PDB file of all heavy atoms in Angstrom:
ATOM      1  N   TYR A   1       0.825  -1.208   0.000  1.00 98.00           N
ATOM      2  CA  TYR A   1       0.000   0.000   0.000  1.00 98.00           C
ATOM      3  C   TYR A   1       0.858   1.257   0.000  1.00 98.00           C
ATOM      4  O   TYR A   1       1.927   1.286   0.611  1.00 98.00           O
ATOM      5  CB  TYR A   1      -0.879   0.055   1.251  1.00 98.00           C
ATOM      6  CG  TYR A   1      -1.967  -0.975   1.309  1.00 98.00           C
ATOM      7  CD1 TYR A   1      -1.794  -2.174   1.980  1.00 98.00           C
ATOM      8  CD2 TYR A   1      -3.194  -0.736   0.700  1.00 98.00           C
ATOM      9  CE1 TYR A   1      -2.803  -3.127   2.043  1.00 98.00           C
ATOM     10  CE2 TYR A   1      -4.220  -1.678   0.759  1.00 98.00           C
ATOM     11  CZ  TYR A   1      -4.006  -2.871   1.434  1.00 98.00           C
ATOM     12  OH  TYR A   1      -5.014  -3.794   1.489  1.00 98.00           O
ATOM     13  N   ALA A   2       0.331   2.278  -0.637  1.00 98.00           N
ATOM     14  CA  ALA A   2       0.926   3.593  -0.474  1.00 98.00           C
ATOM     15  C   ALA A   2       0.679   4.071   0.946  1.00 98.00           C
ATOM     16  O   ALA A   2      -0.370   3.791   1.543  1.00 98.00           O
ATOM     17  CB  ALA A   2       0.301   4.570  -1.472  1.00 98.00           C
ATOM     18  N   ALA A   3       1.618   4.831   1.472  1.00 98.00           N
ATOM     19  CA  ALA A   3       1.506   5.303   2.850  1.00 98.00           C
ATOM     20  C   ALA A   3       0.256   6.153   3.052  1.00 98.00           C
ATOM     21  O   ALA A   3      -0.359   6.140   4.118  1.00 98.00           O
ATOM     22  CB  ALA A   3       2.754   6.094   3.226  1.00 98.00           C
ATOM     23  N   SER A   4      -0.124   6.878   2.030  1.00 98.00           N
ATOM     24  CA  SER A   4      -1.254   7.808   2.139  1.00 98.00           C
ATOM     25  C   SER A   4      -2.601   7.102   2.296  1.00 98.00           C
ATOM     26  O   SER A   4      -3.576   7.728   2.716  1.00 98.00           O
ATOM     27  CB  SER A   4      -1.302   8.722   0.918  1.00 98.00           C
ATOM     28  OG  SER A   4      -1.437   7.947  -0.260  1.00 98.00           O
ATOM     29  N   VAL A   5      -2.672   5.816   1.949  1.00 98.00           N
ATOM     30  CA  VAL A   5      -3.950   5.107   2.020  1.00 98.00           C
ATOM     31  C   VAL A   5      -3.931   3.967   3.028  1.00 98.00           C
ATOM     32  O   VAL A   5      -4.983   3.369   3.303  1.00 98.00           O
ATOM     33  CB  VAL A   5      -4.369   4.550   0.640  1.00 98.00           C
ATOM     34  CG1 VAL A   5      -4.365   5.657  -0.396  1.00 98.00           C
ATOM     35  CG2 VAL A   5      -3.489   3.392   0.208  1.00 98.00           C
ATOM     36  N   LYS A   6      -2.782   3.673   3.584  1.00 98.00           N
ATOM     37  CA  LYS A   6      -2.662   2.541   4.514  1.00 98.00           C
ATOM     38  C   LYS A   6      -3.584   2.764   5.708  1.00 98.00           C
ATOM     39  O   LYS A   6      -3.600   3.848   6.298  1.00 98.00           O
ATOM     40  CB  LYS A   6      -1.220   2.395   4.960  1.00 98.00           C
ATOM     41  CG  LYS A   6      -0.887   1.046   5.557  1.00 98.00           C
ATOM     42  CD  LYS A   6       0.600   0.895   5.787  1.00 98.00           C
ATOM     43  CE  LYS A   6       1.370   0.811   4.493  1.00 98.00           C
ATOM     44  NZ  LYS A   6       2.813   0.516   4.713  1.00 98.00           N
ATOM     45  N   GLY A   7      -4.351   1.740   6.041  1.00 98.00           N
ATOM     46  CA  GLY A   7      -5.295   1.832   7.141  1.00 98.00           C
ATOM     47  C   GLY A   7      -6.668   2.328   6.724  1.00 98.00           C
ATOM     48  O   GLY A   7      -7.630   2.214   7.490  1.00 98.00           O
ATOM     49  N   ARG A   8      -6.783   2.884   5.525  1.00 98.00           N
ATOM     50  CA  ARG A   8      -8.083   3.361   5.032  1.00 98.00           C
ATOM     51  C   ARG A   8      -8.582   2.538   3.850  1.00 98.00           C
ATOM     52  O   ARG A   8      -9.788   2.363   3.670  1.00 98.00           O
ATOM     53  CB  ARG A   8      -7.985   4.829   4.600  1.00 98.00           C
ATOM     54  CG  ARG A   8      -7.605   5.778   5.707  1.00 98.00           C
ATOM     55  CD  ARG A   8      -7.733   7.239   5.263  1.00 98.00           C
ATOM     56  NE  ARG A   8      -6.851   7.546   4.141  1.00 98.00           N
ATOM     57  CZ  ARG A   8      -7.270   8.014   2.969  1.00 98.00           C
ATOM     58  NH1 ARG A   8      -8.556   8.216   2.758  1.00 98.00           N
ATOM     59  NH2 ARG A   8      -6.396   8.293   2.005  1.00 98.00           N
ATOM     60  N   PHE A   9      -7.661   2.068   3.033  1.00 98.00           N
ATOM     61  CA  PHE A   9      -8.016   1.302   1.836  1.00 98.00           C
ATOM     62  C   PHE A   9      -7.613  -0.152   2.022  1.00 98.00           C
ATOM     63  O   PHE A   9      -6.594  -0.448   2.670  1.00 98.00           O
ATOM     64  CB  PHE A   9      -7.293   1.838   0.607  1.00 98.00           C
ATOM     65  CG  PHE A   9      -7.744   3.202   0.137  1.00 98.00           C
ATOM     66  CD1 PHE A   9      -8.585   4.002   0.886  1.00 98.00           C
ATOM     67  CD2 PHE A   9      -7.284   3.700  -1.071  1.00 98.00           C
ATOM     68  CE1 PHE A   9      -8.988   5.249   0.450  1.00 98.00           C
ATOM     69  CE2 PHE A   9      -7.666   4.945  -1.529  1.00 98.00           C
ATOM     70  CZ  PHE A   9      -8.522   5.728  -0.762  1.00 98.00           C
ATOM     71  N   THR A  10      -8.389  -1.043   1.420  1.00 98.00           N
ATOM     72  CA  THR A  10      -8.071  -2.470   1.460  1.00 98.00           C
ATOM     73  C   THR A  10      -8.194  -3.047   0.063  1.00 98.00           C
ATOM     74  O   THR A  10      -9.247  -2.921  -0.582  1.00 98.00           O
ATOM     75  CB  THR A  10      -9.016  -3.224   2.404  1.00 98.00           C
ATOM     76  OG1 THR A  10      -8.918  -2.677   3.719  1.00 98.00           O
ATOM     77  CG2 THR A  10      -8.644  -4.699   2.456  1.00 98.00           C
ATOM     78  N   ILE A  11      -7.133  -3.701  -0.391  1.00 98.00           N
ATOM     79  CA  ILE A  11      -7.162  -4.373  -1.679  1.00 98.00           C
ATOM     80  C   ILE A  11      -7.392  -5.858  -1.438  1.00 98.00           C
ATOM     81  O   ILE A  11      -6.865  -6.438  -0.485  1.00 98.00           O
ATOM     82  CB  ILE A  11      -5.859  -4.131  -2.475  1.00 98.00           C
ATOM     83  CG1 ILE A  11      -6.007  -4.653  -3.908  1.00 98.00           C
ATOM     84  CG2 ILE A  11      -4.645  -4.705  -1.768  1.00 98.00           C
ATOM     85  CD1 ILE A  11      -4.870  -4.232  -4.821  1.00 98.00           C
ATOM     86  N   SER A  12      -8.208  -6.459  -2.283  1.00 97.00           N
ATOM     87  CA  SER A  12      -8.469  -7.891  -2.176  1.00 97.00           C
ATOM     88  C   SER A  12      -8.660  -8.471  -3.573  1.00 97.00           C
ATOM     89  O   SER A  12      -8.845  -7.726  -4.535  1.00 97.00           O
ATOM     90  CB  SER A  12      -9.704  -8.161  -1.311  1.00 97.00           C
ATOM     91  OG  SER A  12     -10.853  -7.562  -1.882  1.00 97.00           O
ATOM     92  N   LYS A  13      -8.627  -9.795  -3.642  1.00 95.00           N
ATOM     93  CA  LYS A  13      -8.655 -10.442  -4.950  1.00 95.00           C
ATOM     94  C   LYS A  13      -9.511 -11.697  -4.879  1.00 95.00           C
ATOM     95  O   LYS A  13      -9.400 -12.459  -3.924  1.00 95.00           O
ATOM     96  CB  LYS A  13      -7.225 -10.783  -5.365  1.00 95.00           C
ATOM     97  CG  LYS A  13      -6.998 -11.116  -6.813  1.00 95.00           C
ATOM     98  CD  LYS A  13      -5.503 -11.040  -7.100  1.00 95.00           C
ATOM     99  CE  LYS A  13      -5.185 -11.466  -8.530  1.00 95.00           C
ATOM    100  NZ  LYS A  13      -5.166 -12.903  -8.704  1.00 95.00           N
ATOM    101  N   ASP A  14     -10.376 -11.865  -5.844  1.00 94.00           N
ATOM    102  CA  ASP A  14     -11.165 -13.082  -5.980  1.00 94.00           C
ATOM    103  C   ASP A  14     -10.598 -13.851  -7.165  1.00 94.00           C
ATOM    104  O   ASP A  14     -10.865 -13.498  -8.327  1.00 94.00           O
ATOM    105  CB  ASP A  14     -12.639 -12.733  -6.207  1.00 94.00           C
ATOM    106  CG  ASP A  14     -13.528 -13.966  -6.215  1.00 94.00           C
ATOM    107  OD1 ASP A  14     -13.049 -15.063  -6.570  1.00 94.00           O
ATOM    108  OD2 ASP A  14     -14.709 -13.822  -5.885  1.00 94.00           O
ATOM    109  N   ASN A  15      -9.803 -14.858  -6.878  1.00 90.00           N
ATOM    110  CA  ASN A  15      -9.128 -15.589  -7.955  1.00 90.00           C
ATOM    111  C   ASN A  15     -10.119 -16.323  -8.863  1.00 90.00           C
ATOM    112  O   ASN A  15      -9.882 -16.451 -10.068  1.00 90.00           O
ATOM    113  CB  ASN A  15      -8.129 -16.573  -7.364  1.00 90.00           C
ATOM    114  CG  ASN A  15      -6.942 -15.867  -6.749  1.00 90.00           C
ATOM    115  OD1 ASN A  15      -6.494 -14.827  -7.220  1.00 90.00           O
ATOM    116  ND2 ASN A  15      -6.437 -16.420  -5.650  1.00 90.00           N
ATOM    117  N   ALA A  16     -11.218 -16.772  -8.295  1.00 91.00           N
ATOM    118  CA  ALA A  16     -12.202 -17.501  -9.103  1.00 91.00           C
ATOM    119  C   ALA A  16     -12.853 -16.598 -10.140  1.00 91.00           C
ATOM    120  O   ALA A  16     -13.270 -17.066 -11.208  1.00 91.00           O
ATOM    121  CB  ALA A  16     -13.266 -18.104  -8.193  1.00 91.00           C
ATOM    122  N   LYS A  17     -12.923 -15.309  -9.839  1.00 93.00           N
ATOM    123  CA  LYS A  17     -13.557 -14.350 -10.755  1.00 93.00           C
ATOM    124  C   LYS A  17     -12.536 -13.488 -11.481  1.00 93.00           C
ATOM    125  O   LYS A  17     -12.928 -12.606 -12.255  1.00 93.00           O
ATOM    126  CB  LYS A  17     -14.516 -13.444  -9.977  1.00 93.00           C
ATOM    127  CG  LYS A  17     -15.684 -14.173  -9.335  1.00 93.00           C
ATOM    128  CD  LYS A  17     -16.600 -13.201  -8.613  1.00 93.00           C
ATOM    129  CE  LYS A  17     -17.786 -13.920  -8.001  1.00 93.00           C
ATOM    130  NZ  LYS A  17     -18.683 -12.978  -7.276  1.00 93.00           N
ATOM    131  N   ASN A  18     -11.247 -13.723 -11.240  1.00 94.00           N
ATOM    132  CA  ASN A  18     -10.189 -12.889 -11.844  1.00 94.00           C
ATOM    133  C   ASN A  18     -10.465 -11.412 -11.597  1.00 94.00           C
ATOM    134  O   ASN A  18     -10.310 -10.572 -12.509  1.00 94.00           O
ATOM    135  CB  ASN A  18     -10.084 -13.159 -13.353  1.00 94.00           C
ATOM    136  CG  ASN A  18      -9.677 -14.583 -13.660  1.00 94.00           C
ATOM    137  OD1 ASN A  18      -8.998 -15.237 -12.857  1.00 94.00           O
ATOM    138  ND2 ASN A  18     -10.098 -15.076 -14.808  1.00 94.00           N
ATOM    139  N   THR A  19     -10.890 -11.098 -10.393  1.00 96.00           N
ATOM    140  CA  THR A  19     -11.313  -9.741 -10.074  1.00 96.00           C
ATOM    141  C   THR A  19     -10.551  -9.222  -8.859  1.00 96.00           C
ATOM    142  O   THR A  19     -10.367  -9.959  -7.888  1.00 96.00           O
ATOM    143  CB  THR A  19     -12.825  -9.696  -9.808  1.00 96.00           C
ATOM    144  OG1 THR A  19     -13.521 -10.108 -10.996  1.00 96.00           O
ATOM    145  CG2 THR A  19     -13.270  -8.288  -9.433  1.00 96.00           C
ATOM    146  N   VAL A  20     -10.136  -7.979  -8.931  1.00 97.00           N
ATOM    147  CA  VAL A  20      -9.500  -7.314  -7.802  1.00 97.00           C
ATOM    148  C   VAL A  20     -10.397  -6.173  -7.344  1.00 97.00           C
ATOM    149  O   VAL A  20     -11.055  -5.524  -8.165  1.00 97.00           O
ATOM    150  CB  VAL A  20      -8.088  -6.811  -8.182  1.00 97.00           C
ATOM    151  CG1 VAL A  20      -8.141  -5.746  -9.255  1.00 97.00           C
ATOM    152  CG2 VAL A  20      -7.351  -6.304  -6.954  1.00 97.00           C
ATOM    153  N   TYR A  21     -10.439  -5.977  -6.047  1.00 98.00           N
ATOM    154  CA  TYR A  21     -11.284  -4.950  -5.450  1.00 98.00           C
ATOM    155  C   TYR A  21     -10.432  -3.956  -4.678  1.00 98.00           C
ATOM    156  O   TYR A  21      -9.362  -4.294  -4.176  1.00 98.00           O
ATOM    157  CB  TYR A  21     -12.294  -5.576  -4.484  1.00 98.00           C
ATOM    158  CG  TYR A  21     -13.154  -6.640  -5.115  1.00 98.00           C
ATOM    159  CD1 TYR A  21     -12.830  -7.991  -4.987  1.00 98.00           C
ATOM    160  CD2 TYR A  21     -14.291  -6.307  -5.836  1.00 98.00           C
ATOM    161  CE1 TYR A  21     -13.609  -8.984  -5.554  1.00 98.00           C
ATOM    162  CE2 TYR A  21     -15.088  -7.287  -6.415  1.00 98.00           C
ATOM    163  CZ  TYR A  21     -14.736  -8.621  -6.276  1.00 98.00           C
ATOM    164  OH  TYR A  21     -15.521  -9.595  -6.857  1.00 98.00           O
ATOM    165  N   LEU A  22     -10.941  -2.741  -4.582  1.00 98.00           N
ATOM    166  CA  LEU A  22     -10.329  -1.738  -3.716  1.00 98.00           C
ATOM    167  C   LEU A  22     -11.433  -1.141  -2.865  1.00 98.00           C
ATOM    168  O   LEU A  22     -12.276  -0.389  -3.381  1.00 98.00           O
ATOM    169  CB  LEU A  22      -9.623  -0.647  -4.525  1.00 98.00           C
ATOM    170  CG  LEU A  22      -8.861   0.371  -3.687  1.00 98.00           C
ATOM    171  CD1 LEU A  22      -7.634  -0.287  -3.024  1.00 98.00           C
ATOM    172  CD2 LEU A  22      -8.416   1.558  -4.544  1.00 98.00           C
ATOM    173  N   GLN A  23     -11.451  -1.505  -1.603  1.00 98.00           N
ATOM    174  CA  GLN A  23     -12.403  -0.932  -0.662  1.00 98.00           C
ATOM    175  C   GLN A  23     -11.785   0.321  -0.063  1.00 98.00           C
ATOM    176  O   GLN A  23     -10.739   0.245   0.583  1.00 98.00           O
ATOM    177  CB  GLN A  23     -12.737  -1.937   0.435  1.00 98.00           C
ATOM    178  CG  GLN A  23     -13.684  -1.409   1.480  1.00 98.00           C
ATOM    179  CD  GLN A  23     -15.076  -1.159   0.927  1.00 98.00           C
ATOM    180  OE1 GLN A  23     -15.633  -2.000   0.219  1.00 98.00           O
ATOM    181  NE2 GLN A  23     -15.649   0.004   1.227  1.00 98.00           N
ATOM    182  N   MET A  24     -12.427   1.442  -0.293  1.00 98.00           N
ATOM    183  CA  MET A  24     -11.905   2.728   0.161  1.00 98.00           C
ATOM    184  C   MET A  24     -12.823   3.279   1.251  1.00 98.00           C
ATOM    185  O   MET A  24     -14.035   3.417   1.021  1.00 98.00           O
ATOM    186  CB  MET A  24     -11.823   3.706  -1.009  1.00 98.00           C
ATOM    187  CG  MET A  24     -10.995   3.186  -2.176  1.00 98.00           C
ATOM    188  SD  MET A  24     -10.820   4.380  -3.516  1.00 98.00           S
ATOM    189  CE  MET A  24     -12.507   4.411  -4.126  1.00 98.00           C
ATOM    190  N   SER A  25     -12.244   3.574   2.396  1.00 98.00           N
ATOM    191  CA  SER A  25     -13.004   4.105   3.519  1.00 98.00           C
ATOM    192  C   SER A  25     -12.387   5.420   3.982  1.00 98.00           C
ATOM    193  O   SER A  25     -11.250   5.733   3.633  1.00 98.00           O
ATOM    194  CB  SER A  25     -13.006   3.095   4.672  1.00 98.00           C
ATOM    195  OG  SER A  25     -13.550   1.864   4.272  1.00 98.00           O
ATOM    196  N   SER A  26     -13.160   6.153   4.762  1.00 98.00           N
ATOM    197  CA  SER A  26     -12.692   7.448   5.286  1.00 98.00           C
ATOM    198  C   SER A  26     -12.093   8.305   4.186  1.00 98.00           C
ATOM    199  O   SER A  26     -10.991   8.853   4.326  1.00 98.00           O
ATOM    200  CB  SER A  26     -11.668   7.223   6.403  1.00 98.00           C
ATOM    201  OG  SER A  26     -12.214   6.445   7.441  1.00 98.00           O
ATOM    202  N   LEU A  27     -12.822   8.425   3.105  1.00 98.00           N
ATOM    203  CA  LEU A  27     -12.301   9.136   1.938  1.00 98.00           C
ATOM    204  C   LEU A  27     -12.106  10.620   2.221  1.00 98.00           C
ATOM    205  O   LEU A  27     -12.873  11.244   2.959  1.00 98.00           O
ATOM    206  CB  LEU A  27     -13.227   8.927   0.746  1.00 98.00           C
ATOM    207  CG  LEU A  27     -13.073   7.547   0.082  1.00 98.00           C
ATOM    208  CD1 LEU A  27     -14.296   7.213  -0.761  1.00 98.00           C
ATOM    209  CD2 LEU A  27     -11.814   7.509  -0.758  1.00 98.00           C
ATOM    210  N   LYS A  28     -11.052  11.149   1.601  1.00 98.00           N
ATOM    211  CA  LYS A  28     -10.672  12.543   1.776  1.00 98.00           C
ATOM    212  C   LYS A  28     -10.689  13.237   0.412  1.00 98.00           C
ATOM    213  O   LYS A  28     -10.564  12.578  -0.625  1.00 98.00           O
ATOM    214  CB  LYS A  28      -9.258  12.629   2.360  1.00 98.00           C
ATOM    215  CG  LYS A  28      -9.046  11.869   3.644  1.00 98.00           C
ATOM    216  CD  LYS A  28      -7.586  11.912   4.065  1.00 98.00           C
ATOM    217  CE  LYS A  28      -7.340  11.127   5.333  1.00 98.00           C
ATOM    218  NZ  LYS A  28      -5.924  11.174   5.747  1.00 98.00           N
ATOM    219  N   PRO A  29     -10.783  14.560   0.400  1.00 97.00           N
ATOM    220  CA  PRO A  29     -10.745  15.268  -0.889  1.00 97.00           C
ATOM    221  C   PRO A  29      -9.489  14.949  -1.697  1.00 97.00           C
ATOM    222  O   PRO A  29      -9.551  14.885  -2.935  1.00 97.00           O
ATOM    223  CB  PRO A  29     -10.795  16.739  -0.473  1.00 97.00           C
ATOM    224  CG  PRO A  29     -11.508  16.732   0.822  1.00 97.00           C
ATOM    225  CD  PRO A  29     -11.068  15.474   1.515  1.00 97.00           C
ATOM    226  N   GLU A  30      -8.371  14.719  -1.014  1.00 97.00           N
ATOM    227  CA  GLU A  30      -7.129  14.419  -1.735  1.00 97.00           C
ATOM    228  C   GLU A  30      -7.122  13.034  -2.363  1.00 97.00           C
ATOM    229  O   GLU A  30      -6.176  12.684  -3.083  1.00 97.00           O
ATOM    230  CB  GLU A  30      -5.914  14.586  -0.812  1.00 97.00           C
ATOM    231  CG  GLU A  30      -6.012  13.868   0.508  1.00 97.00           C
ATOM    232  CD  GLU A  30      -6.511  14.778   1.633  1.00 97.00           C
ATOM    233  OE1 GLU A  30      -7.468  15.573   1.403  1.00 97.00           O
ATOM    234  OE2 GLU A  30      -5.957  14.677   2.748  1.00 97.00           O
ATOM    235  N   ASP A  31      -8.132  12.229  -2.107  1.00 98.00           N
ATOM    236  CA  ASP A  31      -8.273  10.944  -2.785  1.00 98.00           C
ATOM    237  C   ASP A  31      -8.925  11.099  -4.160  1.00 98.00           C
ATOM    238  O   ASP A  31      -9.015  10.124  -4.920  1.00 98.00           O
ATOM    239  CB  ASP A  31      -9.102   9.974  -1.946  1.00 98.00           C
ATOM    240  CG  ASP A  31      -8.421   9.598  -0.639  1.00 98.00           C
ATOM    241  OD1 ASP A  31      -7.194   9.345  -0.658  1.00 98.00           O
ATOM    242  OD2 ASP A  31      -9.112   9.560   0.397  1.00 98.00           O
ATOM    243  N   THR A  32      -9.391  12.290  -4.457  1.00 98.00           N
ATOM    244  CA  THR A  32     -10.011  12.537  -5.753  1.00 98.00           C
ATOM    245  C   THR A  32      -9.008  12.326  -6.877  1.00 98.00           C
ATOM    246  O   THR A  32      -7.925  12.922  -6.877  1.00 98.00           O
ATOM    247  CB  THR A  32     -10.570  13.971  -5.815  1.00 98.00           C
ATOM    248  OG1 THR A  32     -11.632  14.098  -4.858  1.00 98.00           O
ATOM    249  CG2 THR A  32     -11.100  14.296  -7.207  1.00 98.00           C
ATOM    250  N   ALA A  33      -9.366  11.460  -7.820  1.00 98.00           N
ATOM    251  CA  ALA A  33      -8.455  11.108  -8.917  1.00 98.00           C
ATOM    252  C   ALA A  33      -9.166  10.144  -9.859  1.00 98.00           C
ATOM    253  O   ALA A  33     -10.255   9.636  -9.531  1.00 98.00           O
ATOM    254  CB  ALA A  33      -7.195  10.456  -8.380  1.00 98.00           C
ATOM    255  N   VAL A  34      -8.531   9.897 -10.987  1.00 98.00           N
ATOM    256  CA  VAL A  34      -8.932   8.777 -11.823  1.00 98.00           C
ATOM    257  C   VAL A  34      -8.148   7.563 -11.336  1.00 98.00           C
ATOM    258  O   VAL A  34      -6.919   7.617 -11.219  1.00 98.00           O
ATOM    259  CB  VAL A  34      -8.642   9.041 -13.312  1.00 98.00           C
ATOM    260  CG1 VAL A  34      -9.020   7.813 -14.140  1.00 98.00           C
ATOM    261  CG2 VAL A  34      -9.408  10.273 -13.793  1.00 98.00           C
ATOM    262  N   TYR A  35      -8.867   6.497 -11.042  1.00 98.00           N
ATOM    263  CA  TYR A  35      -8.249   5.278 -10.528  1.00 98.00           C
ATOM    264  C   TYR A  35      -8.135   4.259 -11.663  1.00 98.00           C
ATOM    265  O   TYR A  35      -9.111   3.987 -12.374  1.00 98.00           O
ATOM    266  CB  TYR A  35      -9.074   4.714  -9.377  1.00 98.00           C
ATOM    267  CG  TYR A  35      -8.866   5.482  -8.093  1.00 98.00           C
ATOM    268  CD1 TYR A  35      -9.347   6.786  -7.954  1.00 98.00           C
ATOM    269  CD2 TYR A  35      -8.178   4.933  -7.022  1.00 98.00           C
ATOM    270  CE1 TYR A  35      -9.138   7.514  -6.796  1.00 98.00           C
ATOM    271  CE2 TYR A  35      -7.968   5.644  -5.848  1.00 98.00           C
ATOM    272  CZ  TYR A  35      -8.450   6.926  -5.742  1.00 98.00           C
ATOM    273  OH  TYR A  35      -8.240   7.637  -4.580  1.00 98.00           O
ATOM    274  N   TYR A  36      -6.944   3.708 -11.805  1.00 98.00           N
ATOM    275  CA  TYR A  36      -6.658   2.763 -12.876  1.00 98.00           C
ATOM    276  C   TYR A  36      -6.310   1.395 -12.299  1.00 98.00           C
ATOM    277  O   TYR A  36      -5.491   1.285 -11.377  1.00 98.00           O
ATOM    278  CB  TYR A  36      -5.480   3.241 -13.718  1.00 98.00           C
ATOM    279  CG  TYR A  36      -5.730   4.518 -14.474  1.00 98.00           C
ATOM    280  CD1 TYR A  36      -5.405   5.741 -13.918  1.00 98.00           C
ATOM    281  CD2 TYR A  36      -6.281   4.492 -15.755  1.00 98.00           C
ATOM    282  CE1 TYR A  36      -5.632   6.921 -14.604  1.00 98.00           C
ATOM    283  CE2 TYR A  36      -6.507   5.664 -16.453  1.00 98.00           C
ATOM    284  CZ  TYR A  36      -6.178   6.881 -15.871  1.00 98.00           C
ATOM    285  OH  TYR A  36      -6.408   8.037 -16.565  1.00 98.00           O
ATOM    286  N   CYS A  37      -6.897   0.392 -12.875  1.00 98.00           N
ATOM    287  CA  CYS A  37      -6.532  -0.985 -12.561  1.00 98.00           C
ATOM    288  C   CYS A  37      -5.281  -1.357 -13.359  1.00 98.00           C
ATOM    289  O   CYS A  37      -5.141  -0.955 -14.525  1.00 98.00           O
ATOM    290  CB  CYS A  37      -7.689  -1.907 -12.920  1.00 98.00           C
ATOM    291  SG  CYS A  37      -7.390  -3.660 -12.587  1.00 98.00           S
ATOM    292  N   ASN A  38      -4.414  -2.135 -12.746  1.00 97.00           N
ATOM    293  CA  ASN A  38      -3.191  -2.576 -13.406  1.00 97.00           C
ATOM    294  C   ASN A  38      -3.016  -4.076 -13.203  1.00 97.00           C
ATOM    295  O   ASN A  38      -3.350  -4.594 -12.130  1.00 97.00           O
ATOM    296  CB  ASN A  38      -1.988  -1.832 -12.833  1.00 97.00           C
ATOM    297  CG  ASN A  38      -0.687  -2.318 -13.417  1.00 97.00           C
ATOM    298  OD1 ASN A  38       0.020  -3.126 -12.817  1.00 97.00           O
ATOM    299  ND2 ASN A  38      -0.357  -1.817 -14.604  1.00 97.00           N
ATOM    300  N   ALA A  39      -2.493  -4.754 -14.199  1.00 95.00           N
ATOM    301  CA  ALA A  39      -2.324  -6.204 -14.114  1.00 95.00           C
ATOM    302  C   ALA A  39      -0.940  -6.628 -14.591  1.00 95.00           C
ATOM    303  O   ALA A  39      -0.339  -5.958 -15.442  1.00 95.00           O
ATOM    304  CB  ALA A  39      -3.397  -6.905 -14.931  1.00 95.00           C
ATOM    305  N   ALA A  40      -0.508  -7.778 -14.049  1.00 94.00           N
ATOM    306  CA  ALA A  40       0.832  -8.333 -14.252  1.00 94.00           C
ATOM    307  C   ALA A  40       1.827  -7.559 -13.382  1.00 94.00           C
ATOM    308  O   ALA A  40       1.443  -6.821 -12.488  1.00 94.00           O
ATOM    309  CB  ALA A  40       1.213  -8.371 -15.717  1.00 94.00           C
ATOM    310  N   GLY A  41       3.115  -7.701 -13.658  1.00 93.00           N
ATOM    311  CA  GLY A  41       4.095  -7.057 -12.793  1.00 93.00           C
ATOM    312  C   GLY A  41       4.351  -7.880 -11.549  1.00 93.00           C
ATOM    313  O   GLY A  41       4.212  -9.107 -11.549  1.00 93.00           O
ATOM    314  N   SER A  42       4.689  -7.210 -10.460  1.00 94.00           N
ATOM    315  CA  SER A  42       5.002  -7.887  -9.213  1.00 94.00           C
ATOM    316  C   SER A  42       4.357  -7.136  -8.057  1.00 94.00           C
ATOM    317  O   SER A  42       3.562  -6.224  -8.265  1.00 94.00           O
ATOM    318  CB  SER A  42       6.519  -7.952  -9.019  1.00 94.00           C
ATOM    319  OG  SER A  42       7.024  -6.649  -8.772  1.00 94.00           O
ATOM    320  N   LEU A  43       4.701  -7.513  -6.842  1.00 94.00           N
ATOM    321  CA  LEU A  43       4.138  -6.822  -5.691  1.00 94.00           C
ATOM    322  C   LEU A  43       4.569  -5.361  -5.646  1.00 94.00           C
ATOM    323  O   LEU A  43       3.854  -4.502  -5.124  1.00 94.00           O
ATOM    324  CB  LEU A  43       4.583  -7.537  -4.411  1.00 94.00           C
ATOM    325  CG  LEU A  43       3.981  -7.017  -3.097  1.00 94.00           C
ATOM    326  CD1 LEU A  43       2.462  -7.132  -3.104  1.00 94.00           C
ATOM    327  CD2 LEU A  43       4.579  -7.760  -1.910  1.00 94.00           C
TER     328      LEU A  43
END
């Protein structure tokens, strides 16, 4: 996790559905952005 979201955001993955989720809580104005999904690569 990025330091700015640690403790507020949770990433999870459903392997059966090939789907990744981002649960965002306690949202702040500085979280405003276009969010992009990315695949492959490493941790």
Side-chain angles (χ1 to χ4, degrees):
Y1 291 95
S4 59
V5 306
K6 198 171 291 186
R8 299 189 299 122
F9 291 10
T10 301
I11 189 170
S12 61
K13 196 164 176 281
D14 186 332
N15 290 326
K17 297 181 179 179
N18 297 333
T19 298
V20 64
Y21 304 97
L22 185 69
Q23 178 67 46
M24 304 183 291
S25 302
S26 302
L27 283 161
K28 305 175 181 180
E30 51 264 43
D31 295 317
T32 295
V34 177
Y35 283 70
Y36 295 92
C37 180
N38 176 261
S42 69
L43 185 60

